[in-house]
Amino acid sequence: MVSNETEQKVISANELLTNYGHAIQGGLDTGAKYLKAFHTLSETQDGQALLSAAVELTNFQLNSDFVTFPHQFSDEDVQLIFFERLLTLADLGTDFRISNAERVQKLLCKFTSLGDQTFTFTKSTKNSDGFFFGPTMHNRPLFYIDLKNKELMFHGSALINYFVVDLEGVDKGILKGVLQLLTQAAAELKEKFGFKVDFNVLDSVNGEFYAFAAGALTDSVMDELFVKSAENQFILMTDGIGGASLTLDNGIKVTVTDNGKPDRPKWGAMVHDDQQSENWLYLLLDYPFIKEWYLNNQKQLEILSNQFVFG
Amino acid sequence: MERQMETDQFGQNDAQLSSALNEKIHYLTDLNDSLSNGDDLKVYQLMDPQRYAGELGTDSDAPIAPDHFNLASDLTAQLSHHLSNKLIDYLGTTYPFFYYHEYELGRFRIYFGNWWDHRMFGELDPINVKFNFDEDAYKILASSFALEANNQRVNDDAMKQLGEQNERITKLISEQDSRDKRKEAVRAKLKENQEKSPMPWEAGKVKEERQQLNDELLQLTQTDEEAANGRATIKENENKILALSKEETILSLEKKNIRASFGSFEAFIDNNDHLYDKYLESLTQESQVSDGE
């Protein structure tokens, strides 16, 4: 036993340097791997390679017991760099910019057209691969993205609160420009990368059903829409089965209807236009009286988003 | 003798009976043919020859056909359904703002407009070619037209009153702070007052002062209570105002539609009063056009 112990000690002593060397080498290899992926993230012209690099760099265990790197981009930064590069590769204009590139870690971004407003990604507490994108000053995620599981979801009521309420007074052309950029980026992810995308209030496809939070609406909510429409020379027409429709400019038709079952009402709205360019959010920007109606009755009319992810 | 007299007096009975029955058969055959030929004009004539002759009065010399409608009067629901087809087509052009719902065979509710919460405006009677307007619905429209001449609306006063009440409550709520301060001051004065040991000749004055202070305090707490319940009242009033605005919106749409089709409420009334002859006139013209073809 005694000799055995002595022997073991000798072996350990002999292997110590080797083990140490392996550990350092392993740490350096990890660093090299990180660097390679980072290089791809920042340089590649290939979309799929870009996505793979971003996924690889998210939740990347860079430091080890023997090798640590004091400066490291956060997972949030990786999402932001990915997003910025995605827009560049898709040729989606120059409005979106990383705004504090001089600092490593905690990158922020801006839409030049929105001035000083900065935006950032925040990691989901429920899913380490999921990230929320939103204005730095508000705790309101505008969308959720999970690059690994190829998912993107917009948050309807947060988008409305930010673009319709917080940014009230900003030229609606500018707001639509920013929203279009987000929509196009999501469309790019959907079409070229096979992402599952919930456009929510930004969905302009005819027949998209924007479900209201209330389930059933009180009559007074519809009455208010009727009165406000009439004040603006639009007439809310009954559909004969409890719902109603409103024909606005350029043949845009809004329908408010119950899409549920008799014992389980599910009220919501649909927007129909020939160009399929109008969506619920644009409608609120385009028609102040609909916005007023929505905000007066927000508790009932709030558009539902994925409650598990955003809840 | 008796028998002979009887024979003399009623000798024509069978012949008369037969002729009367034939006339009735003829009537029903006519009615049946008119129905299957889609000759609604003739149906109207058969249903009420007297009115038909009186209001259309084209051939005043022609004898009025005998009225046998009692033979078919148990079939008015079916007749009404049949006649409604062409009548509603006709009304669709003359009264484009009315919509009909046949809630049971041959019975039609009229709805004014197809906008949100359109009003049930009464019933359509296809047999008599007549609108039976709902009295309340019609009355409020009439008064809306009348008030409009003075630039007024039916619900102006009520809406103004509710609005003012809300303004007053909002003010009460906003004045809570100053009311709290005033209560504090009054309570301090009351305490001061109670601690006084007045000379007998001052006792009345001190008592009076105390009464005044107590009254004021009561007043202030009552106002507090009103302010505390105020938000619910404001919401309630807002709902009432909304309901009244809705009614005004509906009335203004009704008036707009009547003007678009008739020019004025009076012209609308006049047309309603002559609906029977106007409609039958149009059926006459229609049949002449088709005869000419």
Side-chain angles (χ1 to χ4, degrees), chain B residues 233-279:
Chain B
T233 315
I234 288 176
K235 185 77 209 145
E236 225 171 85
N237 286 348
E238 277 172 355
N239 283 338
K240 284 183 198 160
I241 293 173
L242 176 61
L244 295 171
S245 322
K246 180 178 74 172
E247 189 172 64
E248 286 298 348
T249 305
I250 290 170
L251 287 169
S252 81
L253 287 173
E254 289 175 356
K255 288 188 291 187
K256 194 173 146 192
N257 275 273
I258 285 179
R259 275 206 194 88
S261 293
F262 295 99
S264 72
F265 189 46
E266 290 69 30
F268 168 72
I269 295 172
D270 186 69
N271 206 78
N272 301 341
D273 291 346
H274 296 96
L275 195 57
Y276 181 86
D277 43 300
K278 284 195 183 216
Y279 177 50

Side-chain angles (χ1 to χ4, degrees), chain A residues 99-143:
Chain A
S99 61
N100 58 344
E102 67 276 3
R103 278 181 62 215
V104 175
Q105 292 180 352
K106 266 286 135 202
L107 293 177
L108 302 174
C109 61
K110 277 182 185 175
F111 298 90
T112 318
S113 58
L114 289 182
D116 290 338
Q117 302 276 340
T118 58
F119 299 81
T120 185
F121 280 90
T122 315
K123 197 176 218 166
S124 163
T125 51
K126 290 180 185 165
N127 171 12
S128 62
D129 294 314
F131 295 84
F132 299 112
F133 176 86
T136 316
M137 300 303 287
H138 302 76
N139 189 24
R140 273 184 203 141
L142 302 181
F143 67 78

Side-chain angles (χ1 to χ4, degrees), chain B residues 118-160:
Chain B
H118 54 177
R119 298 202 291 161
M120 209 279 278
F121 214 70
E123 295 210 6
L124 173 68
D125 176 357
I127 301 283
N128 295 303
V129 194
K130 189 170 181 291
F131 295 123
N132 294 317
F133 290 136
D134 177 88
E135 213 172 300
D136 291 337
Y138 186 82
K139 219 185 266 171
I140 191 167
L141 177 63
S143 70
S144 179
F145 266 113
L147 284 169
E148 198 182 45
N150 307 323
N151 247 333
Q152 286 174 321
R153 297 185 305 169
V154 177
N155 296 316
D156 273 347
D157 289 348
M159 280 160 74
K160 192 167 163 249

